[in-house]
Amino acid sequence: MVKIAHISDLHFLPKEGYGSQFEYTALQDSIVNNGADIIVVTGDLIDNPLNLSSLMSRYNVMTNNAVKLAYKECKEYLLGLCSACSIDPQEGLFVVPGNHDYRFHGVFTSDYSAEQFNDIFGDFFRSDLYINNDICVAICLLDSNVASDWKINAATGQVGKNAVLTELRDKYNEWDQSDEFSLSVKVAALHHHVMPIAETEGNNYVGSEEFMVLKNSGFLLKTLASFNIDLILHGHKHYPGITRVGYLGENGLPVNLGIIAAGSANDSDKLNSYNMIYLDKEGGISAKHYASNNTLYDSWKPAFQLLSEQEIHNNRYVQYAKELEHEFRCESLTHSCNILSNGDVEWDKSYRKLECKSENAVDHMPDEFWWPDTSLYLEPKIESKNEDHLVAFSIDEEAPDGKIAGRYIFTPPLSDSKISMDLHWLIGNAFYFDARDMPPDQPLEFVAFTAKIKADRLNVCVKFPENFQPNNVIVEAMKAEGEGDIDHRETKYARNQLIYNKNTNVITFAIDKPLPSFTYKIKWDLQDGGLTRNMKGSQVAEARTIREATLSLNDEEKNQVETQLGQLRDIFNVPKLYGQEELRHNYEISLLGFDDINRNLNVVAMSACQDGLYPEDDEVWDLKFANGEGVAGQALRRKEPVLYSEQLPDLRTPPVYKEAGVCTNTQKKKYKLIYSIPIMYPPDEGMVVGIISFATCSNDCGLYVMTEEYNDRKSFVEQTLIQFYKAFVGNVMHRNDIVNKALN
């Protein structure tokens, strides 16, 4: 943050004259206490009055020596103030002249006073860049005391049109060489007020507007707006005030000017006051008035925010857009995420009126996609809305952390012609529903969107399955690829654009001008139970009973289960089940129980394949599968059957049990087909109580019927489930009551 102390109308008198000094001590103490980085003085450094004993004598004015002495004392005071604030005056002190600095009593022209001001304060009457704390402030100082043909100007002011334009153009051309200038807060300072102050409009004839006004304030405001000035600081009326005015900029877009008036630091008729102005690195501008009772300064009014959150957001958009290496932009970018009950997500991404403003047309636009390591994967399908352009997607190479780098290929190359396109993805195993299944380093579920191009609007829709509702839905914004620190200002703004509708179970997030290179992460909490948290208490207890039984088999029960697993092979002949010729049954059948405490699957029983190959050591019994790990872990996570085959892989990476099969009396071989079926209780939408897995190393096993696309595998799954309940729950556990509930 950068803090600007804005003081004005000090009206110094030489010490041998009149005027108190304790006002200035109180002012310094307050500014030092508030920790100013910059001091801006907007005129009337000295009083330069008519001699009170002879008001009508033009010659009985404060003598030239007294003028010079007052200036020097004021300079000494300001340099002491800078020292107390640890400010280098050559960098952080800015001073403009007021009407009292150039005129006797602020009314009668005095060439000597003007000369003395420029001689003593010339080093500080300059426009310059101030850079500190990653914030750049461009300060433009203007003289509003241009003399007219009138010898008596009263207290009015006027800026020289040519002088103002020349000063701004020259400085902007110079500052454009600085990388920081494009992101700077631009401040103009002068003495006279550029807008009327309602509280000072009274019946006082001498103080009325026609004797005080800046004569060409309309020209000045319009000019400053064209140079995208953010703040105008002034004094003159001895009354603090804040206002805003809007003008159309050169590009036809509105420019809002903040105008801050400082009160007087030495006015016996009014409260002495000054302003503190706060500039933060996120683009916020606020101001606070401080007033004194002649001994101590205190906050007069609450801090005033000059820019709305929307305006700050829009200003930051312009800043970050300049940092992008390319010139892609679109009118709208829409993400639609339909989360399915198995954890998959159907992801649609739509660009509307995409164009490239680069000097030359480009043939591709880079992008990056993310999914978990064990996800299902389908290459995207692209539909282009323009007959003249063909758009394709090409994967370049695998990126780290589960990301895939790719590119949109434009044929012909894309320029400022606008195209629209839709991208369709199916991403498997993208989401968890049960808090207990979450990885330790991922406490919350989320979807994230990074604004890699300039977009006028980002729309996001996230739809959840009917039997799941997220908790504590929030959005966070951060710079870079979602790994940086949270940007609290943008997060606050973004949260006002987020809506979660419990009736439709849909999150909507719509934000104008998403900040380029920022990631918006929508997050939600999970509860224990996930999709099964609506089960009745008795059903949960019965499901846990089955789980515990699978893990506590004694040797006799284990042999019994293995025999019954083998009978599964005889009860239904896979090829005959589908009208095929009989093929070999050389596949093994395993029962895996779920450890509710350690949250993993354990092999508890196995029926050897037809060749009689059987694990004779303890290797197989040591196998454990975490949620989502291996084919069995996938079935657990997805709560649906999962097939892996070298001929028809559903999975992006073959998640075999181990590098090789578990047979020990022959050469170890990799599994070529695995089919894992979760056993649910209750069967439809219940808790996974175990997994039955079919696996083979053979090339001619009857299980390969499962790979045929017309095969829905439904009958196979149903018969497996029936046999599990009859053979295991009924015959081993002797819980026919549960069997009846499950199968009826």
Side-chain angles (χ1 to χ4, degrees):
M1 176 177 288
V2 168
K3 302 176 184 179
I4 301 175
H6 173 206
I7 60 179
S8 193
D9 296 80
L10 290 92
H11 291 284
F12 258 79
L13 289 167
K15 290 180 181 178
E16 64 264 36
Y18 49 87
S20 60
Q21 302 298 317
F22 60 81
E23 291 94 339
Y24 306 124
T25 301
L27 175 65
Q28 175 171 311
D29 291 344
S30 180
I31 292 176
V32 171
N33 185 60
N34 283 320
D37 301 299
I38 300 173
I39 297 173
V40 177
V41 188
T42 51
D44 280 1
L45 282 73
I46 65 173
D47 199 45
N48 203 356
L50 293 166
N51 188 300
L52 296 181
S53 64
S54 182
L55 291 176
M56 301 305 296
S57 172
R58 174 70 191 277
Y59 303 99
N60 288 337
V61 297
M62 191 164 70
T63 66
N64 288 346
N65 287 336
V67 168
K68 186 173 184 178
L69 182 61
Y71 272 139
K72 287 185 174 180
E73 289 178 359
C74 182
K75 180 179 180 179
E76 180 181 344
Y77 171 77
L78 293 176
L79 293 179
L81 176 59
C82 287
S83 177
C85 294
S86 300
I87 295 174
D88 181 348
Q90 298 299 324
E91 296 181 358
L93 177 61
F94 297 85
V95 180
V96 298
N99 57 300
H100 278 266
D101 300 317
Y102 277 14
R103 310 171 196 169
F104 293 118
H105 200 52
V107 175
F108 302 101
T109 301
S110 169
D111 293 336
Y112 179 80
S113 294
E115 292 172 0
Q116 287 298 306
F117 175 88
N118 288 300
D119 183 48
I120 296 173
F121 285 99
D123 289 344
F124 312 114
F125 182 31
R126 89 282 182 206
S127 300
D128 206 351
L129 290 182
Y130 175 89
I131 302 173
N132 190 22
N133 297 328
D134 297 325
I135 299 174
C136 178
V137 187
I139 301 179
C140 304
L141 302 188
L142 305 174
D143 187 354
S144 57
N145 294 283
V146 174
S148 68
D149 293 333
W150 295 86
K151 289 297 183 182
I152 299 179
N153 296 303
T156 61
Q158 182 176 332
V159 295
K161 293 184 177 182
N162 292 333
V164 168
L165 291 172
T166 300
E167 173 73 6
L168 290 173
R169 286 170 181 165
D170 289 349
K171 282 300 177 182
Y172 272 49
N173 288 335
E174 173 188 337
W175 292 339
D176 274 337
Q177 308 304 314
S178 169
D179 294 336
E180 293 84 1
F181 176 62
S182 63
L183 305 179
S184 66
V185 178
K186 299 172 181 61
V187 180
L190 70 162
H191 178 64
H192 289 81
H193 58 290
V194 295
M195 293 287 289
I197 300 175
E199 290 83 355
T200 64
E201 292 179 335
N203 297 321
N204 186 323
Y205 181 72
V206 176
S208 60
E209 284 299 311
E210 55 265 36
F211 288 95
M212 303 287 286
V213 71
L214 181 71
K215 295 178 179 178
N216 55 353
S217 59
F219 158 78
L220 181 63
L221 287 171
K222 185 175 181 180
T223 300
L224 296 181
S226 70
F227 282 89
N228 294 310
I229 293 292
D230 299 298
L231 281 180
I232 301 174
L233 309 183
H234 71 83
H236 191 45
K237 293 296 290 287
H238 292 205
Y239 194 90
I242 298 176
T243 189
R244 301 179 67 215
V245 61
Y247 273 82
L248 287 180
E250 291 183 342
N251 57 2
L253 298 177
V255 176
N256 292 309
L257 299 168
I259 303 173
I260 302 180
S264 172
N266 183 15
D267 188 333
S268 59
D269 296 329
K270 301 174 184 175
L271 282 175
N272 296 333
S273 65
Y274 76 99
N275 300 320
M276 286 298 298
I277 301 166
Y278 305 94
L279 312 176
D280 63 51
K281 62 177 59 180
E282 289 84 22
I285 302 175
S286 59
K288 200 169 188 178
H289 301 311
Y290 285 84
S292 82
N293 56 6
N294 291 328
T295 56
L296 295 173
Y297 274 84
D298 196 5
S299 176
W300 183 13
K301 297 178 180 179
F304 183 88
Q305 300 294 332
L306 272 84
L307 299 178
S308 67
E309 292 297 328
Q310 175 76 56
E311 290 169 326
I312 295 173
H313 171 82
N314 290 345
N315 289 342
R316 298 185 75 195
Y317 172 86
V318 173
Q319 295 172 4
Y320 287 109
K322 293 180 179 179
E323 298 178 4
L324 290 178
E325 296 180 356
H326 54 73
E327 290 295 324
F328 287 105
R329 68 168 297 277
C330 66
E331 289 191 4
S332 69
L333 174 59
T334 300
H335 292 269
S336 179
C337 306
N338 182 25
I339 302 175
L340 307 178
S341 59
N342 59 11
D344 292 354
V345 60
E346 297 172 341
W347 197 303
D348 294 316
K349 185 176 182 180
S350 300
Y351 292 88
R352 291 295 175 267
K353 296 187 177 180
L354 176 70
E355 60 184 328
C356 182
K357 289 293 188 179
S358 298
E359 184 174 341
N360 299 314
V362 295
D363 60 2
H364 74 277
M365 179 176 72
D367 205 347
E368 202 169 61
F369 300 87
W370 171 90
W371 52 73
D373 288 338
T374 55
S375 70
L376 299 179
Y377 166 68
L378 292 179
E379 288 200 15
K381 298 178 181 178
I382 294 182
E383 294 180 6
S384 178
K385 304 296 183 182
N386 301 76
E387 296 180 358
D388 297 335
H389 266 87
L390 176 65
V391 184
F393 183 79
S394 172
I395 293 178
D396 289 342
E397 58 184 10
E398 188 167 352
D401 301 324
K403 294 180 179 177
I404 292 294
R407 58 174 60 192
Y408 301 100
I409 308 298
F410 303 116
T411 307
L414 185 63
S415 60
D416 56 0
S417 59
K418 299 179 180 180
I419 69 169
S420 297
M421 63 181 184
D422 295 328
L423 178 69
H424 308 280
W425 284 89
L426 172 63
I427 303 176
N429 303 321
F431 295 97
Y432 290 96
F433 300 104
D434 193 329
R436 296 169 299 176
D437 295 335
M438 294 290 289
D441 60 345
Q442 185 180 325
L444 300 174
E445 264 295 10
F446 67 92
V447 289
F449 313 91
T450 301
K452 295 179 179 293
I453 67 172
K454 290 178 279 190
D456 293 344
R457 187 172 179 83
L458 170 66
N459 302 301
V460 176
C461 176
V462 183
K463 184 177 181 180
F464 296 94
E466 293 181 358
N467 53 348
F468 172 81
Q469 280 195 333
N471 296 310
N472 303 321
V473 179
I474 61 171
V475 61
E476 293 176 345
M478 58 206 71
K479 187 74 166 65
E481 295 287 334
E483 302 297 333
D485 294 333
I486 295 174
D487 187 293
H488 295 287
R489 180 178 291 280
E490 183 64 11
T491 293
K492 179 181 178 182
Y493 176 76
R495 288 184 177 177
N496 292 326
Q497 323 303 320
L498 181 75
I499 298 174
Y500 170 57
N501 189 321
K502 289 186 177 181
N503 294 326
T504 60
N505 210 18
V506 171
I507 295 173
T508 55
F509 175 63
I511 184 169
D512 289 332
K513 301 185 182 304
L515 300 188
S517 300
F518 268 63
T519 294
Y520 297 89
K521 182 181 286 188
I522 300 174
K523 306 167 67 173
W524 57 89
D525 290 331
L526 301 179
Q527 292 184 356
D528 289 352
L531 297 173
T532 64
R533 66 183 182 183
N534 295 324
M535 290 172 58
K536 296 179 181 178
S538 59
Q539 293 174 328
V540 173
E542 289 165 345
R544 294 193 185 281
T545 298
I546 301 173
R547 281 184 171 182
E548 293 169 1
T550 62
L551 297 173
S552 58
L553 297 174
N554 58 38
D555 290 341
E556 181 181 352
E557 291 171 333
K558 180 179 176 181
N559 291 333
Q560 185 179 358
V561 171
E562 289 175 348
T563 299
Q564 291 171 341
L565 287 174
Q567 291 174 355
L568 278 176
R569 190 182 290 108
D570 300 327
I571 291 174
F572 56 91
N573 182 301
V574 176
K576 288 185 176 180
L577 187 64
Y578 298 106
Q580 305 292 317
E581 294 182 3
E582 184 171 352
L583 296 172
R584 300 179 67 204
H585 302 327
N586 53 340
Y587 54 88
E588 64 187 38
I589 308 174
S590 305
L591 173 63
L592 295 87
F594 184 71
D595 184 343
D596 214 356
I597 297 176
N598 297 314
R599 307 297 295 172
N600 55 36
L601 293 166
N602 303 331
V603 179
V604 297
M606 178 181 289
S607 173
C609 65
Q610 187 181 42
D611 292 336
L613 303 179
Y614 189 83
E616 295 179 351
D617 60 12
D618 294 333
E619 183 178 5
V620 68
W621 313 118
D622 294 333
L623 292 175
K624 301 182 188 305
F625 305 102
N627 187 33
E629 180 181 282
V631 183
Q634 292 285 334
L636 170 66
R637 174 172 178 170
R638 299 171 61 77
K639 296 178 175 59
E640 66 180 12
V642 175
L643 171 70
Y644 164 70
S645 167
E646 290 182 340
Q647 296 179 2
L648 185 68
D650 281 351
L651 299 169
R652 175 179 162 223
T653 303
V656 295
Y657 288 162
K658 280 195 170 184
E659 286 294 325
V662 297
C663 298
T664 58
N665 58 349
T666 186
Q667 183 179 1
K668 290 187 177 183
K669 299 178 181 179
K670 290 184 178 181
Y671 289 113
K672 296 184 177 179
L673 184 145
I674 304 171
Y675 190 42
S676 294
I677 301 173
I679 307 300
M680 315 279 287
Y681 184 82
D684 295 331
E685 293 183 352
M687 184 184 296
V688 177
V689 295
I691 301 287
I692 292 183
S693 268
F694 301 83
T696 183
C697 301
S698 171
N699 290 316
D700 60 356
C701 174
L703 283 176
Y704 281 102
V705 186
M706 297 297 178
T707 65
E708 298 176 5
E709 295 184 4
Y710 65 84
N711 179 5
D712 63 6
R713 310 163 197 164
K714 183 176 180 181
S715 297
F716 187 89
V717 172
E718 288 179 350
Q719 292 199 40
T720 301
L721 183 146
I722 291 171
Q723 293 308 315
F724 172 84
Y725 278 105
K726 286 183 176 180
F728 180 77
V729 180
N731 297 340
V732 177
M733 292 181 58
H734 307 293
R735 290 295 303 268
N736 288 315
D737 58 324
I738 295 179
V739 175
N740 292 332
K741 291 179 182 178
L743 302 183
N744 294 328

